Amino acid sequence: MTADPPAGQDRRLTRHADVRAVLADPRFLVPAAPAAQPVAVRPGTGMAWLRGAVSRFSNGAEHTRRRARAVGLLDALDPARLRREAYDRTRAELAGQARVEVMTRIARRVPVGVLATRLGVPEEWREEVVAAVTAMAAAYHLPLAADASPTGDAADAAVGVLGAALGVALGEGEAPEPGLLAAVAGVLIQACDATAGLVGNALAAVTRMPADPALRWPVEVLLAETLRWDPPVRLTRRVAAEDAMAGTVPVPAGAVLVLDLAAAKRDPEVFPDPHRFDPSRFDPARFRQGRGGGGGHLGFGDGLRPCPGERAALALAAGIVEAALGHRLADPEIPYEPSPNLRVPARLCLQDPERLQAPTNCRTRESAEGPR
Ligand code: HEM
């Protein structure tokens, strides 16, 4: 489904079949990095360099080479270990607390921290690198002009923090070669907000379900249905390199397409009764064996350049959600971060039903409320 847009606006595709067709068609490219204007950049420093060096904003042979490097890093990870570490760290955050604010305490800190240490960041740099990755992720998709803002400065400095942390792991006085820094940064940044959204949206959905254990679904299908029903990544873009068909729709060269992943996941031609949260759509046996392949939910993209972090993201999110099962939402009103393409809760407070008599403030900060 698409409409001719008013002048200056992008075309939006919402049909599942059209979105899949475009994602599989090599005539549709990823738009250039926001920092594509000529700027003086020193390799290995700052966001303008980083955006120009990651796989996410590149095409063709350059994309193939950079993506292979990211895939190499991710393939070396053991999903069972990621899941166990995410579970243990989440349990430690929740232990003894009546209420915990998940988005500040867990949703980024746990997955990014676990991934960073598995990718070579020394344990003592973990928290600093989590903060650095969070700053880089916030600036990743912003236009270059935003680099003049304090956010841009903080993100530029954050690239240096990650470089320094990886340098410590390499040895005295070493700096990671720029290609390695770009690959590790690209992986951690992609993991940061999207996984936080998956964790937050899954917990929001799960904690609203009836508490009856008979209705308890395997965490794998809860995540699959969250990715369909309330996906953290709502849209992505492609630009037509030549005149082409977007599914059944002709698109002129140069036109930018907005692929509305969230709408496609509620396409009634593919998902009957699409607005209902219903984990039974997904077969637990397939997902338990790691053969889910997304079940058509498009949560991790599709076609020529799907998310290479799917296995890691699902392992980390499964560990976190599993550790929080049994907790309830302390406040049903969930505010969301302002974002054109992501849906990530800004605040999500969980409470332990067995500690309802305890003080009711939501644990958000270390200093005021005791050790981790
Ligand atoms: C451990 C966590 C994750 C890692 C390491 C990761 C890594 C990546 C990387 C490196 C890319 C760029 C691929 C390329 O340029 O070819 C990517 C793309 C993508 N990721 Fe992830 N990701 C993670 C979590 C997630 C999550 C939780 C979601 C959504 C629920 C997600 C959705 C996507 C999508 C939709 C794309 C493709 C965008 C497009 O086609 O334009 N990722 N991811």
Side-chain angles (χ1 to χ4, degrees):
M1 209 175 295
T2 183
D4 266 342
Q9 277 187 24
D10 301 333
R11 287 172 166 74
R12 181 175 285 262
L13 265 59
T14 58
R15 274 191 67 224
H16 193 274
D18 292 342
V19 168
R20 285 195 78 184
V22 170
L23 288 172
D25 187 333
R27 292 170 300 177
F28 292 100
L29 304 179
V30 167
Q37 304 95 309
V39 280
V41 290
R42 201 152 55 83
T45 60
M47 287 304 290
W49 163 76
L50 183 62
R51 290 196 197 98
V54 290
S55 74
R56 177 67 182 84
F57 300 116
S58 52
N59 285 294
E62 201 168 58
H63 173 252
T64 307
R65 187 169 43 77
R66 292 171 176 177
R67 182 178 168 102
R69 197 146 192 190
V71 169
L73 293 173
L74 289 162
D75 280 356
L77 301 172
D78 171 8
R81 181 165 184 183
L82 296 179
R83 182 171 178 160
R84 197 172 55 247
E85 286 189 20
Y87 178 90
D88 289 346
R89 288 193 175 266
T90 305
R91 292 301 297 175
E93 285 294 329
L94 297 172
Q97 304 296 325
R99 292 186 173 194
V100 172
E101 205 288 289
V102 171
M103 303 315 293
T104 46
R105 299 293 312 168
I106 295 171
R108 288 180 177 84
R109 278 180 68 222
V110 170
V112 175
V114 170
L115 263 188
T117 49
R118 292 290 117 239
L119 292 173
V121 166
E123 180 63 38
E124 62 276 17
W125 281 73
R126 169 195 284 263
E127 293 293 332
E128 215 173 323
V129 164
V130 169
V133 171
T134 305
M136 288 189 271
Y140 204 44
H141 293 274
L142 295 180
L144 187 62
D147 277 7
S149 73
T151 321
D153 289 346
D156 281 345
V159 179
V161 170
L162 180 60
L166 293 173
V168 169
L170 289 172
E172 200 61 40
E174 290 286 326
E177 55 93 9
L180 174 65
L181 176 57
V184 175
V187 162
L188 292 176
I189 292 169
Q190 292 285 151
C192 184
D193 293 340
T195 311
L198 176 56
V199 165
N201 297 349
L203 287 174
V206 169
T207 49
R208 285 179 169 133
M209 292 173 79
D212 183 350
L215 296 175
R216 199 164 276 173
W217 294 92
V219 71
E220 289 82 358
V221 295
L222 291 171
L223 291 173
E225 179 62 343
T226 301
L227 285 159
R228 185 199 72 81
W229 185 76
D230 192 9
V233 180
R234 316 291 290 179
L235 55 87
T236 189
R237 286 190 165 76
R238 292 294 187 267
V239 57
E242 56 188 83
D243 290 349
M245 296 295 285
T248 51
V249 183
V251 179
V256 175
L257 294 175
V258 174
L259 308 182
D260 190 334
L261 300 168
K265 291 172 212 208
R266 295 203 182 193
D267 182 343
E269 284 177 30
V270 180
F271 298 106
D273 196 5
H275 303 301
R276 197 156 63 89
F277 184 84
D278 178 9
S280 74
R281 294 172 198 278
F282 296 101
D283 174 0
R286 283 176 66 203
F287 278 85
R288 278 223 179 93
Q289 291 156 22
R291 291 191 290 111
H297 63 53
L298 300 180
F300 292 100
D302 201 45
L304 298 174
R305 42 195 302 163
C307 173
E310 175 171 356
R311 218 170 46 121
L314 289 175
L316 291 161
I320 296 170
V321 171
E322 204 161 54
L325 286 179
H327 280 65
R328 309 301 300 163
L329 268 189
D331 181 354
E333 284 300 310
I334 301 177
Y336 286 83
E337 294 178 0
S339 166
N341 68 325
L342 295 178
R343 193 165 127 97
V344 183
R347 188 179 156 80
L348 190 145
C349 191
L350 287 187
Q351 73 182 20
D352 181 346
E354 289 172 11
R355 295 181 144 261
L356 284 181
Q357 304 311 319
T360 51
N361 58 321
C362 202
R363 182 180 187 227
T364 55
R365 264 196 304 275
E366 200 56 54
S367 52
E369 290 149 5
R372 252 173 267 143

